[in-house]
Amino acid sequence: MAFLRTIDKPRIRELYDEVLSIKADLGDELVILAHHYQRPEIVEVGDFRGDSFQLSQMASDQQKARYIAFCGVHFMAESARIVARPEQRVFHPNLNSGCPMADMATGPAVGRALDELTAILPEKETVVPVVYMNTDAATKGICGQEGGLVCTSSNAKKAFEWAFQQGERILFVPDEHLGRNTSHTMGIPDDEMLLYDPNQVNGGHSPEALRKAKVYLWKGYCHVHTWYTPEHIEQARQTYPGCRVVVHPECCSNVVEAADAVGSTAFIVKYVESSSPGDTIVIGTEVNLTNRLAYEYPDRTVVPLSRSLCPNMFRISIEKLRDTLRAMPTMNEIIVPDETIHGARLAMERMLALP
Ligand code: SF4
């Protein structure tokens, strides 16, 4: 409740109280999940906050929860549906709140790319799909069927290591930058990576070039994170001498190289938690998370590298959450076909089995 004291809009307070009252009526039957990038009042009203995968796991662990309301973008609610137990029902307060990066890949397009690559590569060589959590259910489904796995920004390196034990090459979908940054941590040079454009035949490359590459990076990106530049970091170091800069691995590699630390949202939260009073931390990720950390740690300076907001996350409002909860189970339910769930679960289980 502490954060709500900063929100003085009576209308938000009213809606917040309505959501609390629905929660009180449903008790343990309802779980509200809030992603780190959600508005403050949504995070406050949530039972759990975290990144998309942590939240899905938390929901399925709630033995009594019949209803899961996922406050995040659409692929996150789908991921919760994939992981949830069959009797649980998953709802999303705004079905129009999608993730543009996740939308840059589709299951059929990834299937086509794998077919193209397999036709070009030497017969005994395998290309293993690795798909980021930030993809739709159909993309995860194809990935699972084709022997690949899902990864998060926390375990991408382990996922790559696993994939290289299964085959010679990786198709990483859909974030070029997470794929490139992960490849760099494994010592893979840029000339062994190819940007794969799904809108061009063979991703826009000759068969010879495709045979030389080790990692194919899907041409996709998150506009929230590619906003940051090395100049932002230079500017921050001038403004806050002695500061430390931490960025998300969806940032471009030149930003990652100029930062002091790089990691997932969970890593960034821990990075601030483990800093000391008086420290200055400059954060390169979605501004709602940075603002909340600044509020929670008033004894240190926590500032955004530059203000970059995810408008898609912002489409979830306390009013839409209230409307969805009120209408439950008749509105905004997430349905994923069984055959898609099967493939997607395979891909997620392979991730869970990573050491
Ligand atoms: S921050 Fe980027 S990856 Fe995350 S939901 Fe928004 S657009 Fe998608």
Side-chain angles (χ1 to χ4, degrees), residues 303-344:
V303 287
L305 181 55
S306 166
R307 193 174 182 282
S308 190
L309 177 130
C310 178
N312 314 291
M313 287 279 183
F314 206 68
R315 285 188 180 156
I316 304 289
S317 64
I318 191 84
E319 185 164 15
K320 289 203 182 316
L321 175 61
R322 188 276 316 262
D323 292 346
T324 302
L325 296 180
R326 255 191 191 168
M328 223 166 46
T330 58
M331 187 173 132
N332 292 352
E333 182 166 9
I334 297 287
I335 307 284
V336 178
D338 285 349
E339 63 275 18
T340 303
I341 288 195
H342 177 72

Side-chain angles (χ1 to χ4, degrees), residues 50-264:
D51 63 28
S52 57
F53 185 63
Q54 287 171 327
L55 290 173
S56 300
Q57 275 193 312
M58 284 171 190
S60 73
D61 288 348
Q62 305 307 303
Q63 294 303 319
K64 291 186 185 155
R66 279 199 301 140
Y67 303 124
I68 298 167
F70 203 117
C71 300
V73 287
H74 192 264
F75 78 80
M76 297 178 178
E78 277 191 335
S79 302
R81 173 63 273 159
I82 292 163
V83 174
R85 298 192 307 277
E87 71 277 12
Q88 292 180 309
R89 296 175 72 173
V90 178
F91 299 86
H92 186 221
N94 185 353
L95 296 176
N96 292 322
S97 169
C99 164
M101 179 168 78
D103 293 344
M104 289 173 194
T106 63
V110 172
R112 267 195 310 278
L114 288 168
D115 288 346
E116 277 182 349
L117 291 167
T118 306
I120 285 168
L121 295 175
E123 213 174 297
K124 286 193 183 135
E125 292 198 6
T126 309
V127 54
V128 180
V130 179
V131 307
Y132 193 19
M133 184 62 81
N134 302 27
T135 46
D136 67 8
T139 302
K140 291 185 180 79
I142 290 286
C143 176
Q145 279 169 29
E146 297 295 330
L149 86 172
V150 171
C151 74
T152 66
S153 50
S154 309
N155 61 20
K157 185 169 181 241
K158 282 186 182 167
F160 271 42
E161 286 164 356
W162 179 89
F164 278 128
Q165 286 162 10
Q166 320 304 313
E168 291 72 21
R169 297 156 210 265
I170 289 176
L171 172 65
F172 183 71
V173 181
D175 184 15
E176 171 197 346
H177 304 287
L178 177 62
R180 190 177 298 283
N181 290 323
T182 305
S183 300
H184 284 162
T185 63
M186 298 184 67
I188 299 170
D190 283 308
D191 61 9
E192 290 186 10
M193 301 177 218
L194 271 190
L195 193 58
Y196 190 95
D197 182 349
N199 295 315
Q200 294 195 48
V201 176
N202 294 336
H205 301 285
S206 66
E208 296 70 40
L210 289 169
R211 284 189 206 106
K212 278 189 199 144
K214 213 166 166 181
V215 179
Y216 308 109
L217 302 168
W218 198 261
K219 193 175 178 189
Y221 62 93
C222 163
H223 65 96
V224 174
H225 291 97
T226 52
W227 165 255
Y228 302 114
T229 63
E231 289 71 38
H232 285 133
I233 297 187
E234 218 176 287
Q235 182 62 52
R237 294 199 195 283
Q238 278 172 24
T239 311
Y240 305 102
C243 70
R244 279 179 291 148
V245 180
V246 56
V247 301
H248 194 278
E250 289 169 20
C251 295
C252 299
S253 57
N254 56 359
V255 169
V256 167
E257 279 154 23
D260 298 298
V262 56
S264 63

